[in-house]
Amino acid sequence: MKAYALLGGPRQLWPKNIKEILTAAQKNGDLIIGVDRGSFLLEELNIIPDLAIGDFDSLKPSELAKIEVTVKDIRYSNPIKDLTDSELMIQTAFKDYHVADLTLLGATGGRIDHFLVNLFMILNPDIRKFADQITLIDCQNKIKFFGAGEYKVQKEEGYPYFGVASLEEVKNLNILGSRYLLEKFSSLYPRIFSSNEFLPNTHSFDLKLDSGLVAVIFSKDIDRFYNI
Amino acid sequence: MKAYALLGGPRQLWPKNIKEILTAAQKNGDLIIGVDRGSFLLEELNIIPDLAIGDFDSLKPSELAKIEVTVKDIRYSNPIKDLTDSELMIQTAFKDYHVADLTLLGATGGRIDHFLVNLFMILNPDIRKFADQITLIDCQNKIKFFGAGEYKVQKEEGYPYFGVASLEEVKNLNILGSRYLLEKFSSLYPRIFSSNEFLPNTHSFDLKLDSGLVAVIFSKDIDRFYNI
């Protein structure tokens, strides 16, 4: 089973076709999750989540009441806690619902501390075991995660650029078969190699690392956001 | 001398009063820097930068021509290079212009690989020596950086929340005198402690770390962005 989770990030950064994505997913029997304010935002899209997780402190009582009537599985988190709402959601999705992969929406933009929660949580040992099953999507970025290993990273249609961010100590990182190349790069601290591109007539690049965790950020320029 | 640099991030995320900030700064004799597309965006605000840096590949020839006529100091970067445009700008500002502190605008939002360049570059040894003189600002976030040491971090007016992100291995990180506390936290990889708040009637919190580099992200919720 696939899963889609909507977090509380600003809707201006959601993928344009979010309603179509989520409606088709629900029709397909995929799991729909609302994280904190994301639960209410789903209901505003006329999509009732299967699972809602959060302390819901950003919701008005009337908004929370609506969720409590419609959502079958609600997990209340403690605002003073070891796991963030995003982390609790990921554990619940993979451990209780045994989902095969999980797409996070509304995970970017707005307060930068919130975005970094969603990016850095992948490094938490409880979460990183699911890293290769997690994707973040917004209106101009798609982020996937790769641990030690050797990969042919497939081009994502509509995203001409990619960047590779090592999120922690990395050993022997290689980016090959792309416009800009990187060979045997090691670092004790995070680094990002941005604005790379796929070679013409290719559909993948080669990624290899001996240790560490990297985020591959596929991206595109968009006029919509710039022209508001 | 203070300095302000405008990068190419989407204008929807700029501080609302960016034109007032930059006009007052220029009147005050502060250095105004445009980074790549930011140089042209400054001219659109009727502010001629003192310094423009970039490979300018995102500009049309007519846009670049305008900059070449008006800007006194232009540094052309090589797109295949060791330093990013942002890093080259920071080195130029501190080494050639000897600025005392530097505020980055247009450094957030848009393509996430671009934002991470601006965040992670602080860890580059050539840049981190200036870390405590660099501030990133957008319409709802203000980011400052702190290395090993003990600080009373002052409240920023209008920003009720703060998060502390360790951007690399950190030893004995303490966040005290705030709503949520952290004591003697150590980690080999980045972590973020988000959504913290200043205590009522206080104007600072205590930050202490034995090693590592942390970003303190001051933030606020904004209706403007959510209601577009």
Side-chain angles (χ1 to χ4, degrees):
Chain A
M1 180 169 55
K2 282 173 178 283
Y4 293 81
L6 183 62
L7 287 70
R11 68 185 58 163
Q12 290 75 19
L13 298 187
W14 294 352
K16 234 175 170 172
N17 60 342
I18 190 168
K19 195 173 156 114
E20 290 70 34
I21 293 172
L22 293 173
T23 305
Q26 198 156 45
K27 206 171 273 180
N28 195 40
D30 300 339
L31 185 75
I32 308 293
I33 309 169
V35 180
D36 210 73
R37 184 157 193 82
S39 311
F40 181 70
L41 299 172
L42 280 169
E43 304 236 348
E44 284 192 324
L45 289 169
N46 288 321
I47 292 164
I48 295 169
D50 303 298
L51 168 65
I53 291 178
D55 59 25
F56 303 107
D57 63 356
S58 64
L59 293 187
K60 294 177 198 155
S62 63
E63 294 171 341
L64 179 55
K66 196 174 169 195
I67 286 160
E68 287 178 326
V69 167
T70 54
V71 180
K72 278 191 192 138
D73 188 355
I74 303 184
R75 314 278 176 112
Y76 298 90
S77 64
N78 178 347
I80 301 176
K81 61 214 163 187
D82 287 335
L83 290 179
T84 64
D85 288 344
S86 299
E87 289 171 327
L88 184 61
M89 177 274 289
I90 285 175
Q91 291 220 325
T92 308
F94 286 102
K95 287 188 175 171
D96 293 2
Y97 282 87
H98 307 287
V99 305
D101 65 73
L102 171 64
T103 298
L104 305 191
L105 304 154
T108 65
R111 283 173 47 192
I112 289 173
D113 58 341
H114 287 177
F115 167 61
L116 291 181
V117 162
N118 297 327
L119 185 70
F120 287 167
M121 71 176 172
I122 305 293
L123 297 166
N124 176 346
D126 291 337
I127 305 297
R128 72 187 294 159
K129 54 188 151 194
F130 308 116
D132 62 353
Q133 295 157 270
I134 296 172
T135 305
L136 268 70
I137 298 182
D138 70 16
C139 61
Q140 67 179 128
N141 301 279
K142 184 180 267 198
I143 306 181
K144 297 188 169 195
F145 302 94
F146 298 85
E150 211 171 332
Y151 311 91
K152 276 211 173 296
V153 180
Q154 297 301 307
K155 186 168 181 175
E156 297 280 333
E157 212 43 62
Y159 296 82
Y161 311 109
F162 70 88
V164 178
S166 65
L167 298 179
E168 57 170 3
E169 180 176 357
V170 69
K171 282 192 186 136
N172 283 325
L173 174 61
N174 294 271
I175 303 168
L176 299 170
S178 52
R179 181 165 175 197
Y180 302 113
L181 307 178
L182 182 74
E183 284 188 81
K184 295 187 182 166
F185 173 82
S186 296
S187 172
L188 293 171
Y189 52 84
R191 285 291 280 169
I192 166 133
F193 301 91
S194 68
S195 302
N196 208 335
E197 292 169 42
F198 292 84
L199 289 174
N201 305 317
T202 64
H203 297 281
S204 66
F205 72 91
D206 296 311
L207 176 73
K208 194 181 155 192
L209 57 158
D210 288 349
S211 74
L213 186 83
V214 302
V216 176
I217 300 154
F218 304 92
S219 68
K220 56 185 166 188
D221 291 319
I222 53 169
D223 285 338
R224 179 168 75 93
F225 193 64
Y226 287 80
N227 290 337
I228 288 171
Chain B
M1 180 169 57
K2 282 172 179 284
Y4 293 81
L6 183 62
L7 287 70
R11 67 184 58 162
Q12 291 75 19
L13 298 188
W14 294 353
K16 234 174 169 172
N17 59 341
I18 190 168
K19 196 176 155 114
E20 289 72 34
I21 293 172
L22 293 173
T23 306
Q26 198 156 44
K27 205 170 276 180
N28 195 40
D30 301 337
L31 184 74
I32 308 293
I33 309 169
V35 181
D36 211 74
R37 183 157 195 81
S39 312
F40 180 71
L41 298 173
L42 280 169
E43 304 237 347
E44 283 193 324
L45 288 169
N46 288 321
I47 292 164
I48 294 170
D50 303 297
L51 168 65
I53 291 178
D55 59 26
F56 303 106
D57 64 355
S58 66
L59 294 186
K60 292 176 199 155
S62 63
E63 293 170 342
L64 179 55
K66 196 173 170 195
I67 287 161
E68 287 178 326
V69 167
T70 55
V71 179
K72 278 190 195 142
D73 187 355
I74 302 184
R75 314 279 177 113
Y76 297 89
S77 64
N78 179 347
I80 299 176
K81 60 213 163 188
D82 288 335
L83 290 180
T84 64
D85 288 344
S86 300
E87 289 171 328
L88 183 62
M89 178 272 291
I90 285 175
Q91 291 219 326
T92 308
F94 287 103
K95 288 189 174 169
D96 292 2
Y97 283 87
H98 307 286
V99 305
D101 65 74
L102 172 63
T103 298
L104 305 191
L105 303 155
T108 65
R111 284 174 47 191
I112 289 173
D113 58 341
H114 287 177
F115 166 62
L116 291 182
V117 162
N118 298 326
L119 185 69
F120 287 166
M121 70 177 172
I122 305 293
L123 297 166
N124 175 345
D126 290 338
I127 305 297
R128 70 187 294 160
K129 54 187 150 193
F130 308 116
D132 63 354
Q133 294 157 272
I134 296 172
T135 305
L136 269 70
I137 296 183
D138 70 16
C139 60
Q140 66 178 127
N141 301 278
K142 184 179 267 200
I143 305 181
K144 296 187 168 196
F145 301 94
F146 299 85
E150 210 171 332
Y151 311 90
K152 275 210 175 297
V153 180
Q154 297 301 308
K155 187 169 180 174
E156 296 280 334
E157 211 45 61
Y159 296 82
Y161 310 109
F162 71 87
V164 178
S166 65
L167 298 179
E168 58 171 1
E169 180 175 357
V170 69
K171 281 192 185 137
N172 283 326
L173 173 62
N174 294 269
I175 304 168
L176 298 169
S178 53
R179 181 164 175 198
Y180 303 113
L181 307 177
L182 182 74
E183 284 188 80
K184 294 186 182 167
F185 173 83
S186 295
S187 171
L188 293 172
Y189 52 84
R191 286 290 280 167
I192 166 132
F193 301 91
S194 69
S195 301
N196 208 335
E197 293 169 41
F198 291 84
L199 288 174
N201 305 316
T202 63
H203 297 282
S204 66
F205 72 91
D206 296 311
L207 176 73
K208 194 181 154 193
L209 58 157
D210 287 350
S211 73
L213 186 83
V214 301
V216 176
I217 301 153
F218 304 92
S219 68
K220 56 186 167 188
D221 291 319
I222 53 168
D223 285 339
R224 181 167 74 94
F225 194 65
Y226 287 79
N227 290 337
I228 286 168

